[in-house]
Amino acid sequence: MGKLIVKKFGGTSVANTERIEVVADNIQLEIEKGNQVAVVLSAMGKSTDELISLAREINPEPNLREYDALVSTGEQISVALLAMALLKRGINGKSYTAYQLGIKTNSSHSRARILDVEVSKINNEIQEGTVPVITGFQGMNENGDITTLGRGGSDTTGVALAVALEADECQIYTDVDGVFTTDPRVYDKARLLKEVSFEEMLELSSSGAKVLQLRSVEYASKFNLPIRVLSSFNDGEGTLVQEEKNIMERPIVSGISSIDSEAKLTIRGVPDVPGVAAKILGPISDAGIEVDVIVQNISAENNTDFTFTVDKSDAVQAENILKHTSDSLGGGSVEVDDDIAKISIVGRGMRAHAGVASKMFEALAASEINILMITTSEIKISVVIKKSEMKNAVKSLHDAFDLDKELDS
Ligand code: ADP
Ligand code: ASP
Ligand code: MG
């Protein structure tokens, strides 16, 4: 018996009809090996970006039900084209939207969560030799409205489908050879990792490594489904993202991620009394704004400054909320700075090693990079710095922790 493989292809991998023909060849090869395949696709190239800018031309804050109805259309084009390319090869390719298949999500338009994937119908079809080609990124809520899963959401569709089908493998094809020690477009010394633990991948994805959407890693980890990240442009084994216990390598730092899409907000001179942090952050979270790094300064004369970061797209709203809060608390000015970047180093090996943070700070100091904020978790240390220093920081840290070199065992 062959294997059942779910293959997800990203935007660059289906950017034009030539690339779609390459994807069809990949699927044909798999079938010739005696395996069964179900496919999930992203929209072609940058078409989701184009749809989003169209929406914003009408309204910078579009109605989210209609936003989802619009941006989900990109995936409908790519799946139909691939099904045609498969049919041309004598393979019974058949396109499905999330609505036709039954990918049920909650109603959080533009960032919905998958609740259930209905697979009984395609299960039968796969047994009969059909290759279902399913739109990534989209779902439907209980009213039958179209939802989308957030940027990069096709990864999560791929993983959720693999879980629902109880597939033997989940392959995520992209435009780089797998998961690297850092974004290979930021530093050319980045090294391809053979394997990464779910735990590390969660930290990397949540701090900027967009090669896998965070939700897809959460989903895979919850159901213990290994993911293989591969290139649709080059042959190779790619990277296996899986449970920690199967992983032999344990370097102190496994990877570095960077992100420049956050803004830093500071509220000055708030009274340093119990409950003040809740009073500042409560209204922010009530507005549905996610807060990332938080720093409260040591107080001077019973007043303190409080700083946190949010996604840039939320900065204006957060600023307005903070101004209100400052007025009601008798605080001082509110400042916003979006000229920042966050660099994170991630590694399971940190648990067993002291001195990782100081090594990180020394490397940044040696490159004359000033640290604005610091935050740590058990296996991650993040710093906020000036945006112009982002690439330099990634390179300095990659060199300082020798990430270009394989670990000697
Ligand atoms: P797709 O369209 O295939 O989903 P994405 O653009 O979402 O592709 O993700 C792939 C990109 O992720 C790569 O082109 C690369 O620039 C970026 N990336 C960021 N961090 C990493 C990393 N650690 N390893 C590999 N790629 C990374
Ligand atoms: N097309 C969607 C996006 O660009 C989903 C994806 O590519 O995963 O975000
Ligand atoms: Mg992606």
Side-chain angles (χ1 to χ4, degrees):
M1 251 293 270
K3 291 190 277 191
L4 171 57
I5 304 176
V6 170
K7 289 176 183 272
K8 176 261 168 176
F9 294 87
T12 327
S13 305
V14 294
N16 49 45
T17 49
E18 279 148 43
R19 295 305 314 166
I20 289 177
E21 298 278 9
V22 172
V23 168
D25 289 341
N26 173 309
I27 293 161
Q28 184 169 24
L29 264 178
E30 204 69 62
I31 287 169
E32 285 168 3
K33 284 189 217 159
N35 295 325
Q36 295 171 323
V37 182
V39 185
V40 171
L41 295 188
S42 290
M44 293 170 76
K46 301 242 168 281
S47 54
T48 308
D49 292 337
E50 286 155 18
L51 291 166
I52 293 172
S53 33
L54 275 180
R56 296 218 169 112
E57 278 175 31
I58 299 282
N59 185 343
E61 301 283 333
N63 172 280
L64 290 179
R65 180 184 182 277
E66 303 315 325
Y67 169 94
D68 279 350
L70 176 72
V71 301
S72 59
T73 56
E75 273 69 11
Q76 275 156 245
I77 297 174
S78 52
V79 290
L81 287 169
L82 179 63
M84 290 175 198
L86 291 171
L87 289 163
K88 187 166 79 176
R89 285 163 176 74
I91 298 165
N92 193 24
K94 195 167 170 190
S95 66
Y96 281 100
T97 64
Y99 192 92
Q100 287 172 304
L101 193 71
I103 299 181
K104 297 179 187 129
T105 70
N106 65 12
S107 288
S108 301
H109 281 292
S110 84
R111 53 177 171 199
R113 272 182 190 275
I114 294 182
L115 303 174
D116 185 36
V117 183
E118 178 57 57
V119 286
S120 50
K121 183 157 116 201
I122 52 165
N123 238 334
N124 292 335
E125 292 194 342
I126 293 169
Q127 298 313 319
E128 289 159 9
T130 296
V131 174
V133 184
I134 296 144
T135 49
F137 184 48
Q138 46 170 270
M140 60 167 191
N141 68 13
E142 59 182 359
N143 304 325
D145 289 333
I146 297 171
T147 55
T148 61
L149 309 178
R151 297 310 305 269
S154 299
D155 296 333
T156 306
T157 311
V159 170
L161 187 74
V163 168
L165 285 170
E166 296 178 23
D168 299 292
E169 277 185 42
C170 177
Q171 302 175 343
I172 306 276
Y173 284 86
T174 183
D175 55 5
V176 289
D177 290 343
V179 181
F180 285 73
T181 48
T182 195
D183 187 340
R185 297 185 203 284
V186 172
Y187 196 19
D188 56 9
K189 278 192 177 173
R191 180 170 55 86
L192 178 66
L193 294 164
K194 290 195 185 76
E195 45 186 13
V196 184
S197 68
F198 284 135
E199 196 185 13
E200 286 167 324
M201 199 65 231
L202 285 169
E203 295 282 15
L204 288 168
S205 291
S206 71
S207 57
K210 70 165 181 166
V211 61
L212 285 177
Q213 194 200 33
L214 175 61
R215 292 254 180 93
S216 73
V217 188
E218 286 171 355
Y219 213 102
S221 163
K222 182 169 167 196
F223 293 96
N224 194 16
L225 173 89
I227 308 173
R228 189 172 289 280
V229 182
L230 295 155
S231 164
S232 70
F233 291 78
N234 304 315
D235 290 336
E237 294 292 301
T239 304
L240 191 61
V241 184
Q242 62 175 346
E243 211 181 358
E244 162 163 5
K245 70 177 195 304
N246 300 323
I247 295 183
M248 305 305 290
E249 246 191 62
R250 190 188 286 270
I252 298 172
V253 174
S254 301
I256 301 174
S257 53
S258 54
I259 186 171
D260 62 1
S261 55
E262 291 184 6
K264 176 166 79 71
L265 292 109
T266 301
I267 174 166
R268 299 250 178 232
V270 284
D272 193 10
V273 293
V276 72
K279 283 196 180 122
I280 294 169
L281 294 179
I284 300 282
S285 85
D286 291 345
I289 299 174
E290 268 181 51
V291 171
D292 186 18
V293 184
I294 305 171
V295 171
Q296 182 179 335
N297 285 352
I298 300 283
S299 74
E301 291 161 12
N302 299 326
N303 279 332
T304 186
D305 297 341
F306 194 93
T307 305
F308 58 90
T309 66
V310 298
D311 196 82
K312 255 183 212 165
S313 58
D314 294 324
V316 173
Q317 197 187 357
E319 183 183 8
N320 290 335
I321 296 171
L322 273 193
K323 282 180 178 159
H324 269 107
T325 310
S326 184
D327 287 347
S328 66
L329 290 178
S333 62
V334 171
E335 289 155 29
V336 184
D337 176 5
D338 64 6
D339 190 29
I340 58 161
K342 189 179 76 169
I343 316 291
S344 307
I345 62 172
V346 172
R348 288 170 298 140
M350 273 184 210
R351 284 202 181 97
H353 282 85
V356 184
S358 56
K359 187 168 174 177
M360 179 182 194
F361 304 151
E362 276 161 25
L364 293 171
S367 297
E368 298 191 1
I369 295 168
N370 190 31
I371 299 171
L372 307 174
M373 298 168 89
I374 302 171
T375 173
T376 64
S377 77
E378 215 185 353
I379 66 160
K380 178 168 81 176
I381 306 170
S382 304
V383 293
V384 174
I385 58 173
K386 254 177 94 88
K387 183 157 56 191
S388 56
E389 293 172 327
M390 182 169 89
K391 277 198 179 188
N392 194 11
V394 169
K395 290 177 183 175
S396 309
L397 294 171
H398 203 274
D399 290 348
F401 288 97
D402 288 325
L403 294 195
D404 56 328
K405 301 186 184 75
E406 294 258 4
L407 195 72
D408 315 316
S409 33

